[in-house]
Amino acid sequence: MTGSTEVWNALRLVCECLRRGDLAQAQGILDAVGLNVPDGRVAVGSEPRSRGRVRRTGGVFDERGVGYDVPGWIVRDPEDVVEEGEVEEMGEKGKAKEGDVGEVVTLKARLSDRSLDVVVQIGMGQTASVICAEVQKKIGPRRIRLLYLGQVWSEKKTLEELGYKEGDVVSVFVFDE
């Protein structure tokens, strides 16, 4: 870990304020310690850009220009984590073990970090969290976010609710956090 212990202690307080939603207190601490957040994001992350490149975002800098990389999971709870027991398992020949998954279709998921598609069998009544779990089985435990027709896919929405048609491609943004 690089940087000053005092700055790291201040950042711990800033993160606690952000988790509580107290932005004014967090900004006050940043100002008092002389920290700069150039793009307004304390947590370090990345944004996909053209041609498979990513742009680094976020981060905090002290008065000397030393950077402090705060992981996103410290500032906020992950939004795309599936709690144990929430994932609906697929059974034999597309039949659901629990609950009604609807008509089983072939879903093509295009990954942002490589030029290949992942194909999974999924029910029209299943949610994005189930689809994420199926994609992660094929690519490994990576943080991902689904996009369909240019919009971020809510965890609770099913394929049917989104109007998915077999043959459409779902974009999968893969994060390296």
Side-chain angles (χ1 to χ4, degrees), residues 112-163:
S112 66
D113 68 335
R114 49 192 105 144
S115 19
L116 68 101
D117 295 339
V118 172
V119 178
V120 295
Q121 298 291 315
I122 208 81
M124 289 293 287
Q126 292 186 304
T127 61
S129 60
V130 175
I131 296 164
C132 285
E134 290 297 315
V135 170
Q136 287 170 333
K137 284 180 186 176
K138 296 195 179 218
I139 69 168
R142 309 270 307 274
R143 184 171 162 246
I144 61 175
R145 176 134 322 137
L146 302 177
L147 279 84
Y148 180 65
L149 298 177
Q151 295 188 342
V152 176
W153 192 337
S154 167
E155 275 185 40
K156 307 290 185 213
K157 295 255 184 184
T158 65
L159 282 170
E160 195 168 42
E161 291 171 327
L162 289 169

Side-chain angles (χ1 to χ4, degrees), residues 2-20:
T2 62
S4 160
T5 304
E6 292 80 18
V7 171
W8 281 112
N9 288 334
L11 284 173
R12 180 182 54 81
L13 294 173
V14 167
C15 291
E16 288 173 6
C17 292
L18 292 173
R19 288 183 71 83
R20 286 193 315 263

Side-chain angles (χ1 to χ4, degrees), residues 3 30 39 52 61-62 70 72 80 86 90 94 99 104 125 132 136 148 172:
L30 290 169
D39 67 1
F61 298 89
D62 66 14
V70 179
D80 55 357
E86 283 185 8
M90 290 295 288
V104 176
C132 285
Q136 287 170 333
Y148 180 65
V172 179

Side-chain angles (χ1 to χ4, degrees), residues 12-129:
R12 180 182 54 81
L13 294 173
V14 167
C15 291
E16 288 173 6
C17 292
L18 292 173
R19 288 183 71 83
R20 286 193 315 263
D22 190 353
L23 299 177
Q25 180 77 19
Q27 185 62 54
I29 294 169
L30 290 169
D31 292 342
V33 180
L35 298 175
N36 184 15
V37 185
D39 67 1
R41 296 179 67 187
V42 171
V44 173
S46 61
E47 290 179 352
R49 296 187 82 177
S50 64
R51 298 182 195 168
R53 293 182 291 180
V54 292
R55 181 178 77 98
R56 183 180 186 274
T57 61
V60 179
F61 298 89
D62 66 14
E63 293 169 330
R64 296 178 317 228
V66 176
Y68 296 82
D69 292 344
V70 179
W73 58 266
I74 291 177
V75 178
R76 68 192 175 290
D77 291 329
E79 298 170 354
D80 55 357
V81 174
V82 178
E83 295 295 328
E84 189 174 336
E86 283 185 8
V87 176
E88 302 166 27
E89 296 285 334
M90 290 295 288
E92 252 337 87
K93 298 192 184 197
K95 301 271 193 244
K97 290 181 183 175
E98 296 177 20
D100 181 27
V101 296
E103 176 190 354
V104 176
V105 296
T106 300
L107 182 134
K108 186 186 293 187
R110 184 152 297 148
L111 306 176
S112 66
D113 68 335
R114 49 192 105 144
S115 19
L116 68 101
D117 295 339
V118 172
V119 178
V120 295
Q121 298 291 315
I122 208 81
M124 289 293 287
Q126 292 186 304
T127 61
S129 60

